[in-house]
Amino acid sequence: DSGVTQTPKHLITATGQRVTLRCSPRSGDLSVYWYQQSLDQGLQFLIQYYNGEERAKGNILERFSAQQFPDLHSELNLSSLELGDSALYFCASSPQPFSAGNTIYFGEGSWLTVV
Amino acid sequence: GESVGLHLPTLSVQEGDNSIINCAYSNSASDYFIWYKQESGKGPQFIIDIRSNMDKRQGQRVTVLLNKTVKHLSLQIAATQPGDSAVYFCAEENSGYALNFGKGTSLLVTP
């Protein structure tokens, strides 16, 4: 158990809908990362937050947004869902902003299926 | 563009043998590399990391080797056990703000 908690574990929704994925980082970790894992693209970095502020963006679509709250939990919002958004979404955390030697710990993921 | 890739998508080894999983990277400026293990239905689990100023690092039953000349990374698992069956990812630092993951190698340990 990495200490990173994600909910829900599984979610099935229809195209065009909007969902919110939630993440609680490890105790004491200030940085939160979101990754998307699909069969054809592997693990793709989406976005990073540090202490409530957006720090870096990766391959995140405009239909997706995220935020980190004062209690350090984070939410990833996915809107206007398409079939291709079906994937495993991982949250990860680390004590400090990403840097060499700063290990990132992953949660168990939220499995999103868009039908 | 810059990318991290894996030489073999699947690897089958017998229990007790040593396993070697390879990874090629193309960003010569990367300073930090990590190996993760992902079991079915779980998130990636940190195994071992290495900085670019090192060429070898050992952990418990695992060794990571870094060859900067040919931009190659490998993970060696000694005395492979059934519990080692998983997908293994190498990841490299990406511009100092995130990890860039390779596609993964599936390791299957047979009795």
Side-chain angles (χ1 to χ4, degrees):
Chain A
D1 182 4
S2 67
V4 179
T5 304
Q6 290 187 246
T7 57
K9 292 192 186 306
H10 300 276
L11 188 58
I12 300 175
T13 191
T15 54
Q17 295 299 305
R18 183 179 191 272
V19 299
T20 297
L21 308 180
R22 182 188 168 98
C23 169
S24 293
R26 295 187 323 153
S27 178
D29 283 1
L30 300 179
S31 277
V32 168
Y33 312 77
W34 286 98
Y35 279 80
Q36 179 193 56
Q37 186 175 36
S38 59
L39 287 176
D40 58 343
Q41 292 295 324
L43 269 161
Q44 298 285 315
F45 168 68
L46 296 179
I47 198 164
Q48 178 193 166
Y49 281 83
Y50 173 69
N51 205 19
E53 299 291 326
E54 180 185 306
R55 183 169 176 85
K57 268 188 175 181
N59 300 321
I60 188 166
L61 300 173
E62 286 191 8
R63 299 184 287 109
F64 297 178
S65 65
Q67 60 185 131
Q68 186 180 25
F69 295 87
D71 67 353
L72 301 177
H73 91 272
S74 178
E75 293 181 355
L76 178 66
N77 301 297
L78 314 175
S79 61
S80 302
L81 284 167
E82 302 174 359
L83 295 177
D85 297 326
S86 295
L88 198 50
Y89 291 85
F90 286 107
C91 174
S93 73
S94 63
Q96 297 297 324
F98 177 77
S99 62
N102 189 12
T103 304
I104 298 177
Y105 296 91
F106 283 78
E108 300 286 271
S110 291
W111 224 169
L112 172 65
T113 302
V114 182
V115 296
Chain B
E2 304 291 355
S3 64
V4 174
L6 290 159
H7 290 310
L8 297 172
T10 59
L11 178 65
S12 181
V13 298
Q14 282 200 312
E15 182 178 355
D17 287 351
N18 296 333
S19 303
I20 300 176
I21 301 172
N22 296 305
C23 176
Y25 65 95
S26 57
N27 185 357
S28 56
S30 290
D31 181 45
Y32 181 54
F33 305 87
I34 306 179
W35 281 99
Y36 281 89
K37 170 187 180 184
Q38 186 176 21
E39 296 175 276
S40 181
K42 296 189 175 182
Q45 177 187 357
F46 172 88
I47 301 174
I48 192 167
D49 59 1
I50 189 167
R51 298 287 299 266
S52 62
N53 60 354
M54 304 172 68
D55 53 20
K56 181 179 180 179
R57 190 161 189 223
Q58 289 184 294
Q60 187 177 12
R61 285 200 306 117
V62 294
T63 300
V64 55
L65 298 177
L66 176 62
N67 185 332
K68 294 181 286 294
T69 302
V70 295
K71 289 183 279 190
H72 183 268
L73 194 68
S74 68
L75 176 71
Q76 300 178 357
I77 305 174
T80 313
Q81 303 168 359
D84 294 327
S85 293
V87 177
Y88 290 80
F89 292 94
C90 65
E92 65 173 338
E93 169 218 354
N94 181 1
S95 303
Y97 65 81
L99 288 174
N100 185 29
F101 282 80
K103 293 287 189 185
T105 291
S106 177
L107 176 66
L108 177 63
V109 182
T110 57

